[in-house]
Amino acid sequence: MTALNTQVEVRKITGRIGAQVLGVDPAKELDAATVAFVTDALHEHKALVFSGVDLDDAGQQRFAEHFGELTKAHPTVPSVDGEPAILPVDSEQGRANQWHTDVTFVLNPPKASTLRSLVVPPYGGETLIANSAAAYRDLPEPLRAFADTLRAEHTNDYDYAKAPETLDDAERERREVFVSRKFRTVHPVVRVHPVTGERGLYIGGFAQRIVGLSKGESRDILRLLQSYVTRPENVVRVSWEPNQLVLFDNRITQHYAVDNYDDLPRRLNRVTVAGDVPVGIDGVPSESLEGDASHYSPVA
């Protein structure tokens, strides 16, 4: 537990990732010292949970803006009506139950994501968040050295959550929207965090191929590396409550929305903060192969 003063503290949820922040009200204007405190906590714990918050759409955006310029809601998916920076995460519009880092198919994915609970099912519906820096540290030295040399192509044009033949008409329409503008970007498999200098496995669901390898070879290597990211020791399980806000570092985490709440409604709103262009341990930045995302996000 680390204290800014007697009223503000951070309590670990697990040993490797996740903390609850007490005494900071995201609905209020935060002073520079509090923003610095939350930022340091985010870098250390990777995912922060704020409970009992009274936030509306404007308040969520105002909170996220403390950490940088906002992106639009998504490169292809429509935003909440009248709120171009807010993405509705609605179970009735599909369920992203696959491990991923937000929007890695563009050149500069968001540096941070916020999720705010609107409708919470009475059971299930948790969000899992994984520490990809801990995963990198878990790799045996020969595998770590191999990963350091790799780059991967990320794209939105693939079977993200379901095989095409299993989609109903509504799901097929949503997929057409998702890939209405195609993006392909090459990122380092091991990304250096621009603030902490930590190395993390930068892969997830949008990473589809290792540069220089076949799809089959790539699939095997990505599956092996991904298994370290999703080890239970590296994962925090966020059980959603009403009036809850989660902030996570999108540069060094992955997340997964657990589909375990039957057909009940689950609604969150997402606001993301613009990020920089990822850089590998060799200092080489990511490279865009297809698709201009400047309409979606400035480069931090």
Side-chain angles (χ1 to χ4, degrees), residues 10 52 70 75 97 112 118 128 141 146-147 152 165 168-169 174 212-213 216-217 219 237 259 290 299:
V10 175
L70 302 185
N97 55 327
L118 300 179
L128 308 182
E141 193 282 328
F146 178 50
E165 61 271 15
D168 60 27
D169 290 343
R174 286 193 291 270
L213 300 181
E217 292 165 336
R219 186 164 47 248
R237 192 178 191 101
D259 184 2
E290 180 179 1
V299 177

Side-chain angles (χ1 to χ4, degrees), residues 10-199:
V10 175
R11 294 179 179 173
K12 278 188 172 185
I13 300 173
T14 81
R16 290 190 172 189
I17 181 172
Q20 184 179 17
V21 180
L22 306 174
V24 173
D25 186 352
K28 294 182 178 179
E29 187 64 36
L30 305 182
D31 60 28
T34 303
V35 172
F37 176 80
V38 173
T39 301
D40 287 345
L42 180 64
H43 291 156
E44 179 178 356
H45 301 288
K46 311 300 187 282
L48 303 177
V49 179
F50 301 82
S51 298
V53 300
D54 183 16
L55 277 176
D56 55 12
D57 288 343
Q60 183 178 2
Q61 293 175 83
R62 186 171 58 249
F63 174 76
E65 283 176 331
H66 285 108
F67 307 98
E69 189 172 354
L70 302 185
T71 72
K72 294 298 191 293
H74 193 273
T76 59
V77 178
S79 68
V80 169
D81 288 344
E83 299 289 355
I86 299 180
L87 180 74
V89 181
D90 189 337
S91 61
E92 295 181 0
Q93 301 299 317
R95 305 188 180 195
N97 55 327
Q98 186 174 28
W99 283 103
H100 66 286
T101 298
D102 283 336
V103 201
T104 59
F105 46 84
V106 303
L107 182 62
N108 61 307
K111 78 172 185 180
S113 298
T114 67
L115 290 172
R116 174 170 61 97
S117 60
L118 300 179
V119 177
V120 177
Y123 54 84
E126 302 94 340
T127 296
L128 308 182
I129 307 174
N131 182 343
S132 62
Y136 177 79
R137 291 192 295 268
D138 284 344
L139 294 176
E141 193 282 328
L143 186 53
R144 193 183 313 128
F146 178 50
D148 287 344
T149 68
L150 302 177
R151 296 173 72 81
E153 182 180 315
H154 297 233
T155 180
N156 64 327
D157 185 18
Y158 81 105
D159 305 331
Y160 176 44
K162 290 185 176 181
E165 61 271 15
T166 68
L167 302 179
D168 60 27
D169 290 343
E171 290 170 329
R172 191 171 294 107
E173 182 177 344
R174 286 193 291 270
R175 171 170 166 73
E176 289 174 357
V177 171
F178 193 80
V179 299
S180 58
R181 186 181 300 197
K182 296 180 182 179
F183 296 90
R184 292 188 301 125
T185 301
V186 170
H187 293 300
V189 164
V190 178
R191 179 181 183 177
V192 178
H193 193 286
V195 178
T196 68
E198 287 183 288
R199 298 178 179 184

